[in-house]
Amino acid sequence: MSTKTLTIYFEGNELQALDDQTIAEALLAHGITEFGTNHKGDPRGPFCLMGLCGQCVVTIDDRINVKACSCQITPGMNIYRQDDGKLSERK
């Protein structure tokens, strides 16, 4: 288990996370469970946590459809909710 913390950003908000965490682990540790919406507008988030279902996809900078459960965090990473497979609008 790591003790080194990194700064990441979710929807523009600064978060601290352990350097050995996946994006999903880091967001869940902060109580964030909604990673976007499906085609019906319903909230979606981590389900299988094995990279199989695709329910945890997020946008990292300009990369869409990144599986949060299988992508390690990196310092300064900008993470956005992803709605219906489209690039999230940034405010």
Side-chain angles (χ1 to χ4, degrees):
M1 182 162 189
S2 178
T3 57
K4 183 178 176 187
T5 59
L6 303 176
T7 300
I8 60 173
Y9 299 89
F10 181 71
E11 298 283 320
N13 298 305
E14 184 177 302
L15 302 175
Q16 297 300 309
L18 298 176
D19 66 346
D20 62 350
Q21 289 181 312
T22 63
I23 296 168
E25 290 171 327
L27 296 181
L28 289 170
H30 284 278
I32 300 166
T33 59
E34 187 178 318
F35 290 17
T37 58
N38 65 18
H39 67 284
K40 295 179 183 179
D42 297 324
R44 103 184 127 56
F47 181 71
C48 75
L49 294 173
M50 297 185 302
L52 300 175
C53 72
Q55 292 298 305
C56 66
V57 293
V58 293
T59 298
I60 306 298
D61 298 313
D62 290 328
R63 291 180 17 224
I64 62 171
N65 297 323
V66 177
K67 291 183 179 180
C69 68
S70 56
C71 182
Q72 293 296 125
I73 62 166
T74 58
M77 172 180 272
N78 293 294
I79 306 160
Y80 301 93
R81 285 184 172 95
Q82 188 170 303
D83 300 318
D84 194 25
K86 298 176 185 165
L87 190 61
S88 299
E89 291 183 24
R90 296 180 177 95
K91 297 178 182 180

